[in-house]
Amino acid sequence: MGTRKRYWMMKTEPETFSIDDLARVGTEPWNGVRNYQARNFMRDGMQLGDGVMIYHSNCKVPGIAGLATVASRAYPDPTQFDPQSDYFDPASSRENPRWQLVDVAFERKLRRLIPLEEVKRHADALGEGFPLTARGNRLSVFPVTAAQWKLLLSLE
DNA sequence: GCCAACGTTGGC
DNA sequence: GCCAACGTTGGC
């Protein structure tokens, strides 16, 4: 049966899909994740109702922009089958899909964006290896502990 | 725009 | 199974 709620961070490039876009559509299939570790977190770790922080990357002020919830179990990412999609993967098949996604439901924007620069000031408390503060980490979906979640939200 | 860090690919 | 080459991520 249900395990206790878990927490996650999911990155997005706001020029492609921002927290405002998520607010507008309400729920979004989180397509385009093409990293095995990130996929495995969605497929094996996420549960309905889990908390998600939405992080804006590759933009003028990168940082945590809002909150969302996991709104589905993992299922095959349809864009991998679509030759017209940027996320098309010719090596994947419907019989044996390679990439999975979950639906993500908007909860709220943070009262202000928490810049990465501020998050970094708490690198010690967040712990070694926390992907946002670890050097060179590009992982786009990763777990956040309850303590990290609380600390990050307290910066709002 | 630069470039360091990283993941993936493919030759061997 | 190694590892060099390559493509991508993403902060700055």
Side-chain angles (χ1 to χ4, degrees):
Chain A
M1 295 299 287
T3 321
R4 114 180 246 199
K5 179 175 175 175
R6 298 172 186 168
Y7 300 97
W8 307 94
M9 186 80 65
M10 299 179 90
K11 295 186 192 171
T12 181
E13 301 193 8
E15 273 187 35
T16 304
F17 190 83
S18 71
I19 190 69
D20 290 318
D21 293 322
L22 184 61
R24 196 161 34 72
V25 298
T27 300
E28 175 75 2
W30 209 256
N31 57 39
V33 173
R34 296 292 180 268
N35 170 282
Y36 290 106
Q37 203 179 351
R39 177 203 66 186
N40 294 347
F41 284 134
M42 291 195 288
R43 186 189 63 191
D44 306 329
M46 288 191 177
Q47 311 170 122
L48 275 177
D50 281 356
V52 177
M53 285 180 166
I54 302 295
Y55 177 88
H56 282 177
S57 67
N58 201 17
C59 54
K60 189 152 190 175
V61 183
I64 302 166
L67 302 182
T69 54
V70 174
S72 77
R73 301 288 306 273
Y75 61 95
D77 179 344
T79 64
Q80 72 195 301
F81 309 124
D82 177 5
Q84 310 302 331
S85 171
D86 288 345
Y87 303 128
F88 178 59
D89 183 352
S92 187
S93 68
R94 291 186 185 276
E95 297 72 34
N96 190 18
R98 177 177 295 189
W99 304 111
Q100 306 261 121
L101 55 67
V102 297
D103 292 343
V104 173
F106 178 77
E107 186 174 323
R108 68 176 178 89
K109 288 180 73 170
L110 297 190
R111 290 196 292 278
R112 64 180 189 101
L113 181 127
I114 303 170
L116 176 61
E117 189 261 325
E118 282 187 43
V119 174
K120 282 180 166 175
R121 292 180 208 157
H122 302 271
D124 287 349
L126 289 164
E128 202 172 346
F130 185 65
L132 283 191
T133 49
R135 179 186 48 79
N137 204 300
R138 309 183 309 182
L139 192 59
S140 64
V141 176
F142 56 88
V144 175
T145 67
Q148 288 164 342
W149 179 276
K150 187 176 172 186
L151 169 58
L152 292 169
L153 261 192
S154 78
L155 305 180
E156 182 183 13

